[in-house]
Coordinates of all heavy atoms in Angstrom, one line a residue:
G17 N 106.5 102.1 92.6 CA 105.8 103.2 93.3 C 105.1 102.8 94.5 O 104.9 101.6 94.8
V18 N 104.6 103.8 95.2 CA 103.8 103.6 96.4 C 102.4 104.1 96.2 O 102.2 105.2 95.6 CB 104.5 104.4 97.6 CG1 103.6 104.3 98.8 CG2 105.9 103.8 97.9
T19 N 101.4 103.3 96.6 CA 100.1 103.8 96.6 C 99.6 103.9 98.1 O 99.8 103.0 98.9 CB 99.2 102.7 95.9 OG1 99.6 102.6 94.6 CG2 97.7 103.2 95.9
R20 N 99.1 105.1 98.4 CA 98.6 105.3 99.8 C 97.0 105.3 99.8 O 96.4 105.7 98.9 CB 99.1 106.7 100.2 CG 100.6 106.7 100.4 CD 101.1 108.1 100.8 NE 102.5 108.1 101.0 CZ 103.4 108.2 100.1 NH1 103.0 108.3 98.8 NH2 104.7 108.2 100.4
F21 N 96.5 104.7 100.8 CA 95.0 104.6 101.0 C 94.7 104.6 102.5 O 95.6 104.4 103.3 CB 94.5 103.4 100.3 CG 94.9 102.1 100.8 CD1 94.2 101.4 101.8 CD2 96.1 101.5 100.4 CE1 94.6 100.2 102.3 CE2 96.6 100.3 100.9 CZ 95.8 99.6 101.8
E22 N 93.4 104.7 102.8 CA 92.9 104.8 104.1 C 91.9 103.7 104.4 O 91.0 103.5 103.5 CB 92.3 106.1 104.5 CG 91.9 106.2 105.9 CD 91.3 107.6 106.2 OE1 91.3 108.5 105.3 OE2 90.9 107.8 107.4
I23 N 92.0 103.0 105.5 CA 91.0 102.1 105.9 C 90.2 102.8 107.0 O 90.7 103.3 108.0 CB 91.6 100.8 106.5 CG1 92.4 100.0 105.5 CG2 90.6 99.9 107.2 CD1 91.5 99.4 104.4
T24 N 88.9 102.9 106.7 CA 88.0 103.7 107.6 C 87.3 102.9 108.6 O 86.8 103.4 109.6 CB 86.9 104.5 106.8 OG1 86.2 103.5 106.0 CG2 87.6 105.5 105.8
E25 N 87.4 101.6 108.5 CA 86.7 100.7 109.5 C 87.6 99.5 109.7 O 87.9 98.7 108.8 CB 85.4 100.2 108.9 CG 84.5 99.5 109.9 CD 83.1 99.2 109.3 OE1 82.7 99.8 108.3 OE2 82.5 98.3 109.9
T26 N 88.0 99.3 111.0 CA 88.8 98.1 111.4 C 88.0 96.8 111.1 O 86.8 96.8 111.3 CB 89.1 98.2 112.9 OG1 89.9 99.4 113.1 CG2 89.8 97.0 113.4
G27 N 88.7 95.8 110.6 CA 88.0 94.5 110.4 C 88.8 93.6 109.6 O 89.9 93.8 109.2
Q28 N 88.1 92.5 109.2 CA 88.7 91.5 108.3 C 88.5 91.9 106.8 O 87.4 92.3 106.5 CB 88.1 90.1 108.5 CG 88.5 89.4 109.8 CD 89.9 88.9 109.7 OE1 90.8 89.4 110.4 NE2 90.2 87.9 108.8
Y29 N 89.5 91.8 106.0 CA 89.4 92.2 104.6 C 90.0 91.0 103.7 O 90.9 90.3 104.2 CB 90.2 93.4 104.3 CG 89.6 94.7 104.9 CD1 89.7 95.0 106.2 CD2 88.8 95.5 104.1 CE1 89.1 96.2 106.7 CE2 88.2 96.7 104.6 CZ 88.4 97.0 105.9 OH 87.8 98.1 106.4
R30 N 89.4 90.9 102.5 CA 89.9 89.9 101.6 C 90.6 90.7 100.4 O 90.1 91.7 100.0 CB 88.8 89.1 101.0 CG 89.1 88.2 99.8 CD 89.9 87.0 100.1 NE 89.0 86.0 100.7 CZ 89.5 84.8 101.1 NH1 90.8 84.5 101.0 NH2 88.7 84.0 101.7
L31 N 91.7 90.2 100.0 CA 92.5 90.9 98.9 C 92.2 90.2 97.6 O 92.2 89.0 97.5 CB 94.0 90.8 99.2 CG 95.0 91.5 98.4 CD1 94.9 93.0 98.5 CD2 96.4 91.0 98.7
F32 N 91.9 91.0 96.6 CA 91.7 90.6 95.2 C 92.6 91.3 94.3 O 92.8 92.5 94.5 CB 90.2 90.8 94.7 CG 89.2 90.0 95.5 CD1 88.6 90.5 96.6 CD2 88.9 88.7 95.1 CE1 87.6 89.8 97.3 CE2 87.9 88.0 95.8 CZ 87.3 88.5 96.9
L33 N 93.1 90.6 93.2 CA 93.9 91.3 92.2 C 93.4 91.0 90.8 O 92.9 89.9 90.6 CB 95.4 90.7 92.3 CG 96.0 90.8 93.7 CD1 96.1 89.5 94.4 CD2 97.4 91.4 93.5
H34 N 93.6 91.9 89.9 CA 93.3 91.7 88.5 C 94.6 91.7 87.8 O 95.3 92.7 87.7 CB 92.4 92.8 88.0 CG 91.6 92.5 86.8 ND1 91.7 93.3 85.7 CD2 90.8 91.4 86.5 CE1 90.9 92.7 84.7 NE2 90.4 91.6 85.2
I35 N 95.0 90.5 87.3 CA 96.4 90.3 86.8 C 96.4 89.7 85.4 O 95.4 89.0 85.0 CB 97.2 89.4 87.8 CG1 96.6 88.0 87.9 CG2 97.3 90.0 89.1 CD1 97.5 87.0 88.6
S36 N 97.5 89.8 84.7 CA 97.7 89.1 83.5 C 99.2 88.9 83.3 O 100.0 89.6 84.0 CB 97.2 89.9 82.3 OG 98.0 90.9 81.9
S37 N 99.6 88.0 82.4 CA 101.0 87.7 82.1 C 101.0 87.4 80.6 O 100.2 86.6 80.2 CB 101.5 86.6 83.0 OG 102.8 86.2 82.5
E38 N 102.0 87.9 79.9 CA 102.1 87.7 78.5 C 102.5 86.3 78.1 O 102.3 85.8 77.1 CB 103.0 88.7 77.8 CG 102.5 90.1 77.8 CD 101.2 90.2 77.0 OE1 101.0 89.5 75.9 OE2 100.3 90.9 77.4
G39 N 103.1 85.6 79.1 CA 103.7 84.2 78.8 C 102.6 83.2 78.6 O 101.4 83.4 78.8
D40 N 103.1 82.0 78.2 CA 102.2 80.8 78.0 C 101.9 80.2 79.4 O 102.4 80.6 80.4 CB 102.7 79.9 77.0 CG 104.0 79.2 77.4 OD1 104.4 79.2 78.6 OD2 104.7 78.7 76.5
Q41 N 101.2 79.0 79.4 CA 100.8 78.4 80.6 C 102.0 77.9 81.4 O 101.9 77.6 82.6 CB 99.9 77.2 80.3 CG 100.6 76.1 79.5 CD 99.6 75.0 79.2 OE1 98.5 74.9 79.7 NE2 100.0 74.1 78.3
W42 N 103.2 77.8 80.8 CA 104.4 77.3 81.5 C 105.2 78.4 82.1 O 106.1 78.2 83.0 CB 105.3 76.5 80.6 CG 104.5 75.4 79.9 CD1 104.2 75.3 78.6 CD2 103.9 74.2 80.5 NE1 103.5 74.2 78.3 CE2 103.3 73.5 79.5 CE3 103.9 73.7 81.8 CZ2 102.6 72.3 79.7 CZ3 103.2 72.5 82.0 CH2 102.6 71.8 81.0
A43 N 104.9 79.6 81.7 CA 105.6 80.8 82.3 C 105.2 81.0 83.8 O 104.1 80.6 84.1 CB 105.3 82.0 81.5
Q44 N 106.0 81.6 84.6 CA 105.7 81.8 85.9 C 106.2 83.2 86.3 O 107.2 83.7 85.8 CB 106.4 80.8 86.9 CG 105.9 79.4 86.7 CD 106.5 78.5 87.7 OE1 107.5 78.8 88.4 NE2 106.0 77.3 87.8
S45 N 105.3 83.9 87.1 CA 105.7 85.2 87.6 C 105.2 85.4 89.0 O 104.3 84.7 89.4 CB 105.1 86.3 86.7 OG 103.7 86.2 86.6
A46 N 105.8 86.3 89.8 CA 105.4 86.5 91.2 C 105.7 87.9 91.6 O 106.7 88.5 91.2 CB 106.2 85.5 92.1
T47 N 104.8 88.4 92.4 CA 105.0 89.8 93.0 C 104.6 89.8 94.5 O 103.6 89.2 94.9 CB 104.0 90.7 92.2 OG1 104.3 90.7 90.8 CG2 104.1 92.1 92.7
N48 N 105.5 90.3 95.3 CA 105.2 90.5 96.7 C 104.4 91.8 96.9 O 104.7 92.8 96.3 CB 106.5 90.7 97.5 CG 107.2 89.3 97.7 OD1 106.6 88.3 97.6 ND2 108.5 89.4 97.9
L49 N 103.4 91.7 97.7 CA 102.6 92.9 98.1 C 102.9 93.2 99.5 O 102.8 92.4 100.4 CB 101.1 92.6 97.9 CG 100.5 92.7 96.5 CD1 100.9 91.5 95.7 CD2 99.1 92.9 96.5
M50 N 103.3 94.5 99.7 CA 103.7 94.9 101.0 C 102.8 96.0 101.5 O 102.5 97.0 100.7 CB 105.2 95.5 101.0 CG 106.1 94.7 100.2 SD 106.8 93.3 101.0 CE 107.9 94.0 102.1
L51 N 102.3 95.9 102.8 CA 101.6 97.0 103.4 C 102.4 97.6 104.5 O 102.8 96.8 105.4 CB 100.3 96.5 104.0 CG 99.1 96.3 103.0 CD1 97.8 95.9 103.8 CD2 98.8 97.5 102.2
N52 N 102.7 98.9 104.4 CA 103.5 99.6 105.4 C 104.8 98.8 105.7 O 105.3 98.7 106.8 CB 102.8 99.8 106.7 CG 101.6 100.7 106.6 OD1 101.5 101.4 105.6 ND2 100.7 100.8 107.5
G53 N 105.4 98.3 104.6 CA 106.7 97.6 104.6 C 106.7 96.2 105.1 O 107.7 95.5 105.1
E54 N 105.5 95.6 105.3 CA 105.4 94.2 105.7 C 104.8 93.4 104.6 O 103.7 93.8 104.1 CB 104.6 94.1 107.0 CG 105.3 94.7 108.2 CD 104.5 94.4 109.5 OE1 103.8 93.4 109.6 OE2 104.6 95.2 110.4
L55 N 105.3 92.2 104.4 CA 104.8 91.3 103.3 C 103.4 90.8 103.8 O 103.3 90.3 104.9 CB 105.7 90.1 103.1 CG 105.3 89.1 102.1 CD1 105.2 89.7 100.7 CD2 106.2 87.9 102.2
V56 N 102.4 91.0 102.9 CA 101.1 90.5 103.2 C 100.7 89.3 102.3 O 99.9 88.5 102.8 CB 100.0 91.6 103.1 CG1 100.1 92.6 104.3 CG2 99.9 92.3 101.8
T57 N 101.2 89.3 101.1 CA 101.0 88.1 100.3 C 102.0 88.1 99.1 O 102.5 89.2 98.8 CB 99.5 88.1 99.8 OG1 99.3 86.8 99.2 CG2 99.3 89.1 98.7
T58 N 102.1 87.0 98.5 CA 102.9 86.9 97.2 C 101.9 86.4 96.1 O 101.3 85.3 96.2 CB 104.0 85.9 97.3 OG1 104.9 86.4 98.4 CG2 104.8 85.8 96.0
A59 N 101.6 87.3 95.2 CA 100.8 86.9 94.0 C 101.6 86.1 93.0 O 102.7 86.6 92.7 CB 100.2 88.1 93.4
Q60 N 101.1 84.9 92.7 CA 101.8 84.1 91.7 C 100.9 83.7 90.6 O 99.7 83.6 90.8 CB 102.3 82.8 92.4 CG 103.3 83.1 93.5 CD 103.7 81.8 94.2 OE1 104.1 80.9 93.5 NE2 103.7 81.8 95.5
S61 N 101.4 83.6 89.4 CA 100.6 83.2 88.2 C 101.4 82.5 87.2 O 102.6 82.8 87.0 CB 100.0 84.4 87.6 OG 99.2 84.1 86.5
N62 N 100.8 81.5 86.5 CA 101.4 81.0 85.3 C 101.0 82.1 84.2 O 100.3 83.0 84.5 CB 100.8 79.7 84.9 CG 101.2 78.6 85.9 OD1 102.2 78.7 86.5 ND2 100.4 77.6 86.0
G63 N 101.5 81.9 83.0 CA 101.2 82.8 81.9 C 99.7 82.8 81.6 O 99.1 81.7 81.7
T64 N 99.1 83.9 81.3 CA 97.7 84.0 80.9 C 97.6 84.3 79.4 O 96.5 84.6 79.0 CB 97.0 85.0 81.8 OG1 97.5 86.3 81.5 CG2 97.1 84.7 83.3
E65 N 98.7 84.4 78.7 CA 98.7 84.8 77.3 C 98.1 86.1 77.1 O 97.3 86.3 76.1 CB 98.1 83.7 76.4 CG 98.9 82.4 76.5 CD 98.3 81.2 75.7 OE1 97.1 81.3 75.3 OE2 99.0 80.2 75.6
G66 N 98.2 87.0 78.1 CA 97.7 88.4 78.0 C 96.3 88.6 78.4 O 95.8 89.7 78.5
K67 N 95.6 87.5 78.8 CA 94.2 87.6 79.2 C 94.2 88.0 80.7 O 95.1 87.6 81.5 CB 93.5 86.3 79.1 CG 93.4 85.8 77.7 CD 92.6 84.5 77.6 CE 92.5 84.1 76.1 NZ 93.4 83.0 75.8
W68 N 93.3 88.9 81.1 CA 93.2 89.3 82.4 C 92.4 88.3 83.3 O 91.4 87.7 82.8 CB 92.5 90.7 82.5 CG 93.3 91.8 82.0 CD1 93.3 92.3 80.7 CD2 94.4 92.4 82.7 NE1 94.3 93.3 80.6 CE2 95.0 93.4 81.8 CE3 94.9 92.3 83.9 CZ2 96.0 94.2 82.1 CZ3 96.0 93.2 84.3 CH2 96.5 94.1 83.4
M69 N 92.8 88.1 84.5 CA 92.1 87.2 85.4 C 92.0 87.8 86.8 O 92.9 88.6 87.2 CB 92.7 85.9 85.4 CG 94.1 85.8 85.9 SD 94.8 84.2 86.0 CE 94.5 83.7 87.7
R70 N 90.9 87.5 87.5 CA 90.8 88.0 88.9 C 91.3 86.9 89.8 O 90.9 85.7 89.7 CB 89.3 88.3 89.2 CG 89.0 88.8 90.5 CD 87.5 89.2 90.6 NE 87.2 89.9 91.8 CZ 86.4 89.4 92.7 NH1 85.7 88.3 92.6 NH2 86.1 90.1 93.8
Q71 N 92.2 87.3 90.7 CA 92.8 86.3 91.6 C 92.4 86.7 93.1 O 92.5 87.8 93.5 CB 94.3 86.3 91.5 CG 95.0 85.2 92.2 CD 96.5 85.3 92.0 OE1 97.2 86.1 92.5 NE2 97.0 84.3 91.2
K72 N 91.9 85.7 93.8 CA 91.5 85.9 95.2 C 92.7 85.5 96.0 O 93.3 84.5 95.9 CB 90.3 85.0 95.6 CG 89.9 85.2 97.0 CD 88.5 84.5 97.2 CE 88.6 83.0 97.4 NZ 87.3 82.4 97.8
A73 N 93.1 86.5 96.9 CA 94.3 86.2 97.8 C 93.8 86.1 99.2 O 92.6 85.8 99.5 CB 95.3 87.4 97.6
N74 N 94.7 86.3 100.1 CA 94.4 86.0 101.5 C 93.5 87.0 102.2 O 93.3 88.1 101.7 CB 95.7 85.8 102.3 CG 96.6 87.0 102.2 OD1 96.7 87.7 101.2 ND2 97.3 87.4 103.3
K75 N 93.0 86.6 103.4 CA 92.3 87.5 104.3 C 93.3 88.1 105.2 O 94.3 87.5 105.6 CB 91.3 86.7 105.1 CG 90.1 86.2 104.4 CD 89.1 85.6 105.4 CE 88.8 84.2 105.0 NZ 87.8 83.6 106.0
M76 N 93.0 89.3 105.7 CA 93.8 90.0 106.7 C 93.0 90.9 107.6 O 92.0 91.3 107.2 CB 94.9 90.7 106.0 CG 94.4 91.9 105.1 SD 95.7 92.6 104.1 CE 95.8 91.4 102.8
H77 N 93.5 91.1 108.8 CA 92.9 92.0 109.7 C 93.6 93.4 109.6 O 94.8 93.4 109.7 CB 93.0 91.5 111.2 CG 92.4 92.5 112.1 ND1 91.0 92.5 112.4 CD2 92.9 93.4 112.9 CE1 90.8 93.4 113.3 NE2 91.9 94.0 113.6
L78 N 92.8 94.4 109.3 CA 93.4 95.7 109.2 C 92.7 96.7 110.1 O 91.5 96.7 110.3 CB 93.2 96.3 107.7 CG 93.9 95.5 106.6 CD1 93.5 96.1 105.3 CD2 95.4 95.6 106.8
E79 N 93.5 97.5 110.8 CA 93.1 98.5 111.7 C 92.7 99.8 110.9 O 93.3 100.0 109.8 CB 94.1 98.8 112.8 CG 94.5 97.7 113.7 CD 93.4 97.3 114.7 OE1 92.7 98.2 115.1 OE2 93.3 96.1 115.0
Q80 N 91.8 100.6 111.4 CA 91.5 101.8 110.8 C 92.8 102.6 110.8 O 93.6 102.6 111.7 CB 90.5 102.6 111.7 CG 90.1 103.9 111.1 CD 89.1 104.6 112.0 OE1 88.6 104.1 113.0 NE2 88.8 105.8 111.7
G81 N 93.1 103.3 109.6 CA 94.3 104.1 109.5 C 94.8 104.2 108.1 O 94.2 103.8 107.1
Q82 N 96.0 104.8 108.0 CA 96.6 105.1 106.7 C 97.6 103.9 106.4 O 98.3 103.4 107.3 CB 97.4 106.4 106.8 CG 96.6 107.6 107.1 CD 95.8 108.0 105.9 OE1 96.2 107.9 104.7 NE2 94.5 108.4 106.2
Y83 N 97.6 103.5 105.1 CA 98.5 102.4 104.7 C 99.2 102.8 103.4 O 98.7 103.7 102.6 CB 97.6 101.2 104.4 CG 97.1 100.5 105.6 CD1 95.9 101.0 106.2 CD2 97.8 99.5 106.2 CE1 95.4 100.4 107.3 CE2 97.3 98.9 107.4 CZ 96.1 99.4 107.9 OH 95.6 98.8 109.1
E84 N 100.4 102.2 103.2 CA 101.2 102.4 102.0 C 101.3 101.0 101.4 O 101.8 100.1 102.0 CB 102.5 103.0 102.3 CG 102.5 104.4 102.6 CD 103.9 105.0 102.7 OE1 104.9 104.2 102.6 OE2 104.0 106.2 102.9
L85 N 100.9 100.9 100.1 CA 101.1 99.6 99.4 C 102.2 99.7 98.4 O 102.3 100.7 97.6 CB 99.8 99.3 98.6 CG 99.8 98.1 97.6 CD1 99.9 96.8 98.4 CD2 98.6 98.2 96.7
T86 N 103.1 98.8 98.5 CA 104.2 98.7 97.5 C 104.3 97.3 96.9 O 103.9 96.3 97.5 CB 105.6 99.0 98.1 OG1 105.8 98.2 99.2 CG2 105.7 100.5 98.6
L87 N 104.7 97.2 95.6 CA 104.8 96.0 94.9 C 106.3 95.7 94.6 O 107.0 96.6 94.2 CB 104.1 96.1 93.6 CG 102.6 96.5 93.7 CD1 102.0 96.6 92.3 CD2 101.8 95.4 94.5
D88 N 106.7 94.4 94.8 CA 108.0 94.0 94.5 C 107.9 92.8 93.5 O 107.5 91.7 93.9 CB 108.7 93.5 95.8 CG 110.1 93.0 95.6 OD1 110.7 93.3 94.5 OD2 110.6 92.4 96.5
F89 N 108.2 93.1 92.3 CA 108.1 92.1 91.2 C 109.3 91.2 91.3 O 110.3 91.4 90.6 CB 108.0 92.8 89.8 CG 106.7 93.6 89.7 CD1 106.6 94.9 90.0 CD2 105.5 93.0 89.2 CE1 105.4 95.7 89.9 CE2 104.4 93.7 89.1 CZ 104.3 95.0 89.4
I90 N 109.2 90.1 92.1 CA 110.3 89.3 92.3 C 110.6 88.3 91.2 O 111.7 87.9 91.0 CB 110.2 88.5 93.7 CG1 108.9 87.7 93.7 CG2 110.2 89.4 94.8 CD1 108.7 86.8 94.9
K91 N 109.6 88.0 90.4 CA 109.8 87.1 89.2 C 109.0 87.9 88.1 O 107.8 87.7 88.0 CB 109.3 85.7 89.5 CG 109.7 84.7 88.4 CD 109.6 83.3 88.9 CE 110.3 82.4 87.9 NZ 110.2 81.0 88.2
P92 N 109.6 88.7 87.4 CA 108.9 89.6 86.4 C 108.0 88.9 85.4 O 108.2 87.7 85.1 CB 110.1 90.3 85.7 CG 111.2 90.2 86.6 CD 111.1 88.9 87.3
G93 N 107.1 89.7 84.9 CA 106.2 89.2 83.9 C 104.7 89.4 84.2 O 103.9 89.4 83.3
M94 N 104.4 89.7 85.4 CA 103.0 90.0 85.8 C 102.7 91.4 85.7 O 103.4 92.3 86.1 CB 102.8 89.5 87.3 CG 101.4 89.7 87.8 SD 101.2 89.2 89.5 CE 101.7 87.5 89.5
S95 N 101.5 91.7 85.2 CA 100.9 93.0 85.2 C 99.7 93.0 86.1 O 98.9 92.0 86.1 CB 100.4 93.4 83.8 OG 101.4 93.5 82.9
I96 N 99.6 94.0 86.9 CA 98.5 94.2 87.9 C 97.7 95.4 87.5 O 98.2 96.5 87.6 CB 99.0 94.2 89.3 CG1 99.8 93.0 89.7 CG2 97.8 94.4 90.3 CD1 100.4 93.0 91.0
E97 N 96.4 95.2 87.1 CA 95.6 96.3 86.7 C 95.0 97.0 87.9 O 94.9 98.2 87.9 CB 94.5 95.8 85.7 CG 93.7 97.0 85.2 CD 92.6 96.5 84.2 OE1 92.0 95.4 84.4 OE2 92.4 97.2 83.2
W98 N 94.5 96.2 88.8 CA 93.9 96.8 90.1 C 94.0 95.8 91.2 O 94.2 94.6 91.0 CB 92.5 97.3 89.9 CG 91.5 96.3 89.3 CD1 91.0 96.3 88.0 CD2 90.8 95.2 90.0 NE1 90.1 95.3 87.9 CE2 90.0 94.6 89.0 CE3 90.9 94.7 91.2 CZ2 89.2 93.5 89.3 CZ3 90.1 93.6 91.6 CH2 89.3 93.0 90.6
I99 N 94.0 96.4 92.4 CA 94.0 95.6 93.7 C 92.8 96.1 94.5 O 92.5 97.3 94.6 CB 95.3 95.8 94.4 CG1 96.5 95.3 93.6 CG2 95.2 95.1 95.8 CD1 97.8 95.7 94.2
E100 N 92.0 95.2 95.0 CA 90.8 95.5 95.8 C 90.9 94.9 97.2 O 91.3 93.7 97.3 CB 89.6 95.0 95.1 CG 88.3 95.2 95.9 CD 87.1 94.6 95.2 OE1 87.2 93.8 94.3 OE2 86.0 94.9 95.7
L101 N 90.6 95.7 98.2 CA 90.5 95.1 99.6 C 89.0 95.2 99.9 O 88.4 96.3 99.9 CB 91.2 96.0 100.6 CG 92.7 95.8 100.7 CD1 93.4 96.8 101.5 CD2 93.0 94.4 101.3
K102 N 88.4 94.0 100.1 CA 86.9 94.0 100.3 C 86.7 93.6 101.8 O 87.2 92.5 102.2 CB 86.3 92.9 99.4 CG 84.8 92.9 99.4 CD 84.3 92.0 98.3 CE 82.8 92.1 98.3 NZ 82.2 91.3 97.2
K103 N 85.9 94.4 102.5 CA 85.6 94.1 103.9 C 84.6 92.9 104.0 O 83.7 92.8 103.2 CB 84.9 95.3 104.5 CG 84.7 95.1 106.0 CD 84.6 96.4 106.8 CE 84.5 96.3 108.2 NZ 84.2 95.1 108.9
L104 N 85.0 92.0 104.9 CA 84.2 90.8 105.0 C 83.1 91.0 106.1 O 83.2 91.8 107.0 CB 85.1 89.6 105.4 CG 86.2 89.3 104.4 CD1 87.1 88.2 104.8 CD2 85.5 88.9 103.0

């Protein structure tokens, strides 16, 4: 699915994700995060045995405006509870 949101202030933002994976420590999963159709990061994780963890991802410059976020689960197994963009 697609999530739409608005950035009200142009600037640098840090991306955070709250993720889990049912697999053990040897399992691997990966998800591409796309903003307006462009890859901004690939979230990767070993298995967390179902425990939730907060993952800090990259920084990015975002202009004020409307955005569409899509997820591409390229290596299935990851669950994403929430995604946060925090202004720096």
Side-chain angles (χ1 to χ4, degrees):
V18 175
T19 300
R20 292 175 179 84
F21 64 95
E22 181 177 3
I23 294 293
T24 58
E25 190 177 340
T26 297
Q28 286 288 112
Y29 288 82
R30 168 79 70 184
L31 185 68
F32 294 93
L33 303 106
H34 200 234
I35 63 173
S36 79
S37 174
E38 290 299 322
D40 63 20
Q41 64 182 350
W42 306 112
Q44 295 181 348
S45 57
T47 302
N48 286 336
L49 281 77
M50 317 280 284
L51 280 183
N52 294 346
E54 293 186 30
L55 178 67
V56 291
T57 194
T58 300
Q60 300 180 46
S61 177
N62 292 334
T64 65
E65 298 178 348
K67 296 182 180 106
W68 289 98
M69 61 179 266
R70 184 174 187 239
Q71 187 176 77
K72 182 167 78 170
N74 58 321
K75 289 188 235 179
M76 64 189 81
H77 179 82
L78 295 175
E79 297 290 329
Q80 180 180 357
Q82 300 289 321
Y83 289 86
E84 288 186 355
L85 171 71
T86 54
L87 304 176
D88 178 16
F89 293 91
I90 56 174
K91 196 162 187 183
M94 181 183 297
S95 296
I96 300 176
E97 185 176 39
W98 52 256
I99 298 171
E100 175 186 12
L101 282 167
K102 186 172 185 174
K103 187 156 184 342
L104 301 177

